[in-house]
Amino acid sequence: MVFNWEFMVLEQVKYMVTGEHLIVFMNYFFSSDTMVRQASMTLKLLLLMYYKNGKGHNFRRQGQMLTLVEYALLLYRAFLPAPVWYRFFLNKEYGSMFSSLITGLYLTFKLTSVVEKVGSFYSALKALSRKEMHYGSYATPEQLR
């Protein structure tokens, strides 16, 4: 008996595309992501209204606050789909070795992405907590001549 690999792969792709679990997964992912985006937009609008109605415009502080909110949103959105994708990739229908490999790759890439976003959030928080603004780098003695 000859095993037809093409037929098996096509059947798995067909199941993935038409499976009901995929529809539930996509519905959850897009609805929760959209809700988080709308909530963050509302928070940003409230911040803009607060700074507009305040005495004197502190554009640097306003920009720093908006940057902090944006980085917090990006960090939260990085964590938001992780449990759903993790469960999706651990599906044993495609074999435990394949599932483990894909899950490990996903978690590795997700971790590197989250570490970068945490660094950006931390630097925005640090910039907000400082009184003086430090943009760029200091000039060297050679550049001053």
Side-chain angles (χ1 to χ4, degrees):
M1 180 175 164
V2 177
F3 192 72
N4 190 351
W5 285 98
E6 277 185 7
F7 178 74
M8 185 177 136
V9 170
L10 287 175
E11 284 299 312
Q12 286 179 353
V13 169
K14 182 177 155 188
Y15 176 74
M16 285 175 58
V17 172
T18 61
E20 186 158 323
H21 70 280
L22 185 65
I23 295 169
V24 171
F25 165 75
M26 296 307 266
N27 186 23
Y28 169 78
F29 178 73
F30 286 118
S31 64
S32 62
D33 188 51
T34 303
M35 294 298 287
V36 168
R37 280 196 232 168
Q38 295 300 321
S40 70
M41 189 61 67
T42 304
L43 180 62
K44 289 179 199 175
L45 287 173
L46 289 173
L47 278 173
L48 288 172
M49 287 178 8
Y50 171 76
Y51 279 105
K52 180 158 176 80
N53 292 333
K55 295 201 183 245
H57 284 215
N58 193 350
F59 292 112
R60 285 187 181 169
R61 182 66 62 184
Q62 175 185 348
Q64 289 173 338
M65 269 310 257
L66 289 173
T67 301
L68 183 68
V69 168
E70 183 67 27
Y71 283 138
L73 166 74
L74 290 175
L75 184 61
Y76 182 73
R77 284 184 63 203
F79 283 117
L80 187 65
V84 179
W85 279 109
Y86 179 74
R87 292 180 104 204
F88 180 75
F89 286 137
L90 274 183
N91 189 0
K92 300 287 186 196
E93 289 181 21
Y94 310 114
S96 63
M97 183 68 161
F98 178 74
S99 295
S100 299
L101 177 69
I102 295 298
T103 304
L105 285 172
Y106 172 73
L107 291 177
T108 301
F109 290 136
K110 182 58 81 174
L111 181 65
T112 57
S113 170
V114 165
V115 166
E116 179 184 339
K117 286 176 177 43
V118 166
S120 298
F121 177 76
Y122 180 70
S123 65
L125 188 64
K126 204 164 54 172
L128 184 66
S129 66
R130 291 185 182 159
K131 293 284 182 194
E132 71 275 352
M133 302 298 149
H134 177 68
Y135 294 106
S137 60
Y138 293 110
T140 63
E142 296 170 356
Q143 292 172 336
L144 293 175
R145 289 185 212 162

